[in-house]
Amino acid sequence: MNAENLSLLAIPLAALYLAALACIYRILLTYRTAQGAIAWILALVGLPYIAVPMFLLFGRYRFGGYVKARRMGDESLTSLLDQFESQTTSITNPGQEHFSDELQVLCKLGRQPFTAGNHCTLLRDGEATFAALFDAMEDARHYLLLEFYIVRSDRVGQRIKAILERKLAQGVEVWFLYDDIGSAFLSRKWLNELSAAGARIASFGDGNIRRRRFQINFRNHRKLLVCDGKVGFVGGINLGDEYLGTAMDQEPWRDTHCRIEGPAVTGLQLAWLEDWNWASNTRPELNWASVSQPPGDQEVLVLPTGPADTWETCTLFFLNCINNARTRIWIASPYFVPDFQIMNALQLAALRGVDVRILIPEKTDSPLVRLAAYSYLVQASQAGIGIYRYQPGFMHQKVVLVDSRYAAIGTANLDNRSMRLNFEITAVNTSPTFIQQVETMLEEDLGASRPMTENDYRQRSILFRLGCRAVRLLAPLL
C-alpha cells in the first residue's frame, strides 16, 4: 500500500476516532451508571467502527428533544400541568395514615396529585378490556384520545378502526398516537384510511423531525385511551388479536387493564397531551372541567415516567414500593431483568420478612429475557424471594401490590428499558376494594404458576448457566 492510499485511509480513521472521542465526552457528562459508562467507553476505544453507530442509535439515556419540546410548549400547556400538580387532594388531610410520605413522593415523581372521587374497574383479560374499550368509544360524544405502543391491522385493529370511522362520521374528533417501533408492521393502508376519515394521526418516532435527532432507543410504551376527558383506560394491553388468543392460534396473552372514571382521567389526558405535543407540535382543545359529581370514592394517582424526566422516575417508583413494603410486595412483570439497585432492594425486603413474590411468564416472546431471568434465581432463593413462572399462555401484565395499602396497574416492566428508556404510565390506587380485587387476581395467577428454585438454575448444564450469565450482560439492551 503506497503513501497516498495510507493517507486516504487515515482521514476516515481519524474522523472515526474523533467521533468516538465525542461520544466518550458525552458519556462522561451524562452517564447514569458507572457500569454502563465503562462498557460504552471500552467499546468505543476498542471497536469504534461498531460502537460509534451503535452509540448514536442506542447510547443516549436522556431524551433531550422531548425535554426541549416540553419547555417550548405553549403557556397554556404549562399552566395546565402546574395547575393539576398543585391541586389540594386527600393526601394533605390530617389523620389519614395511608397517605404516607411514600405516596407523597410518588406525587412529586409524577408531578401529579392523588385525586379523590374516582371509580376504577379492574379488567382482567383482553376480552373484558376490549369490550370496555369498545363501549366507551361508542359512548364518546366529543373526542377520543388514543395512544398505544403496538397497533395491529388484524381483527381487533379493524374493529377499532371501524368504530373510530363511525365516530368521526358522527362529528367526534379522534387523535391517534402510536409508536413506530412497536407498530412497525402496522398496515399503511390502515393508517391512510383512518386519516382519510378525518382522524389526526401521529407517530411518536417520526413526528417533530426537527427536534427528534437519533431516538430509536426511546419508545413510547404507553397504552391509554381517553374519552371526552371523563373516562380513561390504562394498562398493559395493546391493540392486537394476541390478547384474545386468536393470533396464529396462540393462547391468550394474560394481561390486565384498568378503566378509570373521575378526576384522575385528567392525569391520563395530560400525559397524552405532552406526548402529542412532542409528536405533532400541536395542542388540541380538550375538556378540563372538573367533575361535578364524583363517580366513586377511590383515590388514584396517574404516574407518567420516562427518559425526559429529571430523575429516573420509573426506577424510583419501584424502589419506593419495595423499600416501603411492610408485609408483602407482589410484582407481575413479563420482563424480569432488574439492575443491581432493584435486585438489592428486593433482597433486603425479603430479608426483613416481607413476602416478596415475582410473577413472570413461562412462555415468552423474548428467549433472551427468559434466559436472563434464570441468572437471578440463586440470589432470589437465598434471600427468600419467590419467583413464579405463569404456565397458561404468555403473562404480559404489569401489576404491583404493596401490603394492603395500594395497588398499581400500568405499562412498566422490571427491566432497564422501562426504568431508563421507555415512556411508561401507571395508575396507583389506594382503595381497599380495588386492592382486594387485585389481590384475588394475583392469587389466582400465582396458583396457575410454577415456583422456581435455585436448583432450576444449578442443575442445568454449565453451557446453559454460562449462556444465562452472558445474556444478563445484555440487560441494558433487553
Side-chain angles (χ1 to χ4, degrees):
M1 186 177 290
N2 57 38
E4 183 178 353
N5 289 336
L6 285 173
S7 63
L8 290 174
L9 183 61
I11 294 174
L13 280 176
L16 181 64
Y17 276 96
L18 283 174
L21 285 174
C23 293
I24 292 171
Y25 171 77
R26 185 172 183 85
I27 289 168
L28 292 174
L29 287 180
T30 62
Y31 74 85
R32 292 190 174 185
T33 64
Q35 295 90 336
I38 292 169
W40 274 117
I41 290 171
L42 290 175
L44 288 163
V45 171
L47 298 168
Y49 46 88
I50 296 176
V52 168
M54 289 291 288
F55 181 80
L56 291 176
L57 290 174
F58 299 107
R60 293 170 59 224
Y61 286 98
R62 187 72 186 276
F63 200 169
Y66 190 101
V67 176
K68 186 177 180 181
R70 176 184 284 168
R71 291 171 180 166
M72 292 174 63
D74 58 44
E75 292 184 3
S76 57
L77 174 56
T78 303
S79 175
L80 287 169
L81 291 166
D82 291 342
Q83 181 180 352
F84 190 58
E85 180 186 9
S86 63
Q87 280 189 14
T88 301
T89 61
S90 50
I91 65 168
T92 63
N93 294 340
Q96 296 197 33
E97 186 273 337
H98 66 286
F99 282 115
S100 59
D101 290 342
E102 67 182 285
L103 296 183
Q104 297 192 46
V105 165
L106 297 183
C107 296
K108 293 178 181 178
L109 287 178
R111 290 194 59 196
Q112 293 205 18
F114 268 95
T115 58
N118 300 283
H119 177 74
C120 297
T121 303
L122 185 65
L123 304 169
R124 297 179 52 168
D125 53 36
E127 185 175 351
T129 297
F130 289 133
L133 283 173
F134 298 157
D135 287 346
M137 292 166 64
E138 294 282 12
D139 290 340
R141 294 293 176 265
H142 303 290
Y143 61 81
L144 292 164
L145 314 177
L146 299 96
E147 179 174 350
F148 287 89
Y149 177 61
I150 296 175
V151 183
R152 304 194 192 280
S153 46
D154 53 16
R155 277 172 284 186
V156 166
Q158 293 300 333
R159 176 73 183 277
I160 291 285
K161 184 166 76 71
I163 294 174
L164 294 178
E165 289 172 339
R166 185 161 57 252
K167 299 310 292 185
L168 285 162
Q170 296 171 4
V172 175
E173 295 184 283
V174 173
W175 286 275
F176 195 101
L177 179 62
Y178 68 97
D179 184 86
D180 57 321
I181 301 295
S183 302
F185 299 105
L186 177 61
S187 164
R188 181 55 56 180
K189 178 183 177 183
W190 191 97
L191 290 168
N192 290 341
E193 289 177 350
L194 186 58
S195 179
R200 266 66 66 88
I201 301 175
S203 160
F204 192 76
D206 288 338
N208 215 336
I209 194 167
R210 290 177 299 171
R211 297 190 300 221
R212 67 175 183 153
R213 297 175 63 197
F214 295 104
Q215 62 165 52
I216 192 171
N217 214 22
F218 300 111
R219 302 173 191 174
N220 192 318
H221 196 238
R222 295 170 179 168
K223 300 103 177 167
L224 63 90
L225 166 69
V226 174
C227 307
D228 294 338
K230 298 178 180 179
V231 178
F233 294 80
V234 66
I237 293 181
N238 292 289
L239 303 183
D241 287 354
E242 57 267 33
Y243 297 93
L244 298 174
T246 56
M248 297 179 293
D249 298 323
Q250 292 178 355
E251 296 180 76
W253 286 28
R254 168 71 188 91
D255 215 327
T256 301
H257 225 70
C258 179
R259 180 187 187 275
I260 304 174
E261 187 177 3
V265 176
T266 299
L268 291 176
Q269 188 162 267
L270 281 168
W272 178 91
L273 187 58
E274 276 207 291
D275 291 345
W276 183 265
N277 176 59
W278 151 255
S280 68
N281 200 26
T282 61
R283 191 184 75 80
E285 292 299 323
L286 304 175
N287 173 32
W288 302 103
S290 59
V291 181
S292 57
Q293 291 185 345
D297 59 356
Q298 299 179 7
E299 293 103 352
V300 177
L301 164 71
V302 172
L303 178 64
T305 62
D309 297 341
T310 303
W311 305 284
E312 285 186 8
T313 313
C314 189
T315 301
L316 293 176
F317 162 71
F318 277 108
L319 287 174
N320 192 61
C321 293
I322 298 165
N323 290 334
N324 286 288
R326 304 168 188 173
T327 58
R328 71 174 170 195
I329 180 161
W330 296 354
I331 301 174
S333 174
Y335 308 111
F336 180 64
V337 194
D339 63 12
F340 74 96
Q341 298 178 84
I342 298 296
M343 196 61 200
N344 286 347
L346 290 170
Q347 289 174 301
L348 283 172
L351 290 172
R352 67 175 185 266
V354 175
D355 177 12
V356 180
R357 304 189 196 185
I358 310 296
L359 180 62
I360 61 177
E362 180 72 61
K363 304 169 185 177
T364 177
D365 63 344
S366 175
L368 292 180
V369 169
R370 188 175 188 277
L371 283 175
Y374 272 95
S375 69
Y376 296 93
L377 285 176
V378 175
Q379 289 174 273
S381 295
Q382 291 177 347
I385 299 170
I387 295 184
Y388 298 79
R389 284 197 180 274
Y390 184 77
Q391 299 298 302
F394 177 33
M395 198 284 300
H396 188 255
Q397 65 180 327
K398 305 93 165 58
V399 178
V400 180
L401 179 61
V402 181
D403 304 330
S404 294
R405 295 182 295 124
Y406 57 96
I409 310 290
T411 68
N413 299 299
L414 274 177
D415 64 0
N416 179 73
R417 182 157 292 283
S418 285
M419 300 294 171
R420 298 183 176 90
L421 300 174
N422 285 350
F423 288 82
E424 309 282 5
I425 192 162
T426 301
V428 183
N429 192 316
T430 65
S431 163
T433 301
F434 188 83
I435 291 166
Q436 182 60 56
Q437 293 172 354
V438 172
E439 178 183 14
T440 300
M441 176 186 72
L442 291 180
E443 285 177 340
E444 292 178 6
D445 290 336
L446 289 165
S449 302
R450 177 172 67 91
M452 303 288 287
T453 69
E454 61 180 295
N455 288 334
D456 288 293
Y457 175 77
R458 291 192 184 278
Q459 293 178 359
R460 303 296 290 264
S461 70
I462 185 64
L463 288 178
F464 179 86
R465 284 178 282 155
L466 285 173
C468 293
R469 298 291 294 182
V471 170
R472 183 167 165 176
L473 295 176
L474 301 175
L477 299 177
L478 296 178

